[in-house]
Amino acid sequence: MSELSKGVVDAAQAEGILTELRQTFDRLDYQAVNEVLSVLRSARRIVCAGVGREGLTCRAFCMRLMHLGYDSHWVWDDTAPALGEGDVFFFTCGSGQIAHLLTIAQLAKDTGATVVCVTGVPNSDAARLSDHVVFIPASVYKGSGDLVPTVQPMGTLWETASWILLDAIVYGLHERDNIGYAEMAARHRNYE
């Protein structure tokens, strides 16, 4: 980032962030992403989890899965169902070491559910526990390794990349299942 753009929001600052995102997505393993698409398409139900800012991206993803017509639930909602074989536990865990997410993922795995993790650390406990892993190679909070560097604070690059990736998965499911936007909108709550 140039000295001129320090401390202000301008096109150069935005371009720097977009460059970091391009570098991240240039290094993404799209085969792993497409395997996850197939896993989600065949799921009986999907329970999603995440914490912090990356959890917000996962919760938005869970909502879009519902809009697509999938039986999707947020793990901490009181109406979240039991899991078993044929189900998917999908979670984001940037550092791969968030203890209570690892506990929940292990419990989900013990039910026979397939565990899918999106992480920034491919050799983390979360990755080892999961049946399918998507590694986002972006600087992540409390993560290390061969990651795209960033000028942004904490895990912002990883969180932004995870939001874009999860939306890309939604778009991929929308295309594969031939679900129209009007059909998705019809599932959105109509009492707000």
Side-chain angles (χ1 to χ4, degrees):
M1 204 167 298
S2 73
E3 290 294 317
L4 296 176
S5 66
K6 281 189 173 182
V8 298
V9 177
D10 61 13
Q13 183 186 56
E15 187 56 40
I17 292 168
L18 291 172
T19 296
E20 293 175 0
L21 287 165
R22 281 187 205 98
Q23 291 170 354
T24 298
F25 282 93
D26 284 348
R27 292 179 47 192
L28 197 68
D29 178 355
Y30 289 96
Q31 181 177 341
V33 174
N34 285 304
E35 287 173 9
V36 167
L37 246 70
S38 295
V39 168
L40 292 171
R41 286 185 78 216
S42 64
R44 180 177 61 156
R45 68 175 59 102
I46 303 163
V47 172
C48 300
V51 296
R53 285 169 46 107
E54 67 190 56
L56 296 174
T57 69
C58 193
R59 190 165 185 143
F61 175 67
C62 185
M63 181 182 185
R64 283 291 187 251
L65 289 173
M66 179 274 295
H67 290 152
L68 286 167
Y70 288 87
D71 187 5
S72 60
H73 306 271
W74 187 244
V75 70
W76 290 288
D77 286 345
D78 290 336
T79 56
L83 288 172
E85 288 188 31
D87 297 330
V88 170
F89 179 76
F90 184 103
F91 73 117
T92 55
C93 191
S95 70
Q97 299 302 132
I98 300 170
H100 62 286
L101 282 177
L102 295 173
T103 298
I104 294 167
Q106 183 62 61
L107 291 168
K109 190 175 186 88
D110 292 346
T111 71
T114 299
V115 176
V116 175
C117 180
V118 178
T119 186
V121 184
N123 60 350
S124 63
D125 288 344
R128 283 190 291 274
L129 171 67
S130 300
D131 300 300
H132 299 275
V133 177
V134 175
F135 165 54
I136 300 176
S139 291
V140 61
Y141 186 63
K142 295 189 177 182
S144 61
D146 183 20
L147 306 172
V148 173
T150 186
V151 296
Q152 300 174 75
M154 302 168 73
T156 299
L157 176 60
W158 194 89
E159 295 152 359
T160 304
S162 70
W163 190 295
I164 293 168
L165 172 65
L166 296 180
D167 272 352
I169 290 172
V170 166
Y171 184 73
L173 291 168
H174 142 77
E175 280 197 318
R176 282 192 183 184
D177 294 342
N178 197 27
I179 298 168
Y181 293 145
E183 184 181 348
M184 291 176 69
R187 291 190 186 100
H188 186 70
R189 66 179 166 253
N190 58 1
Y191 45 89
E192 63 180 9

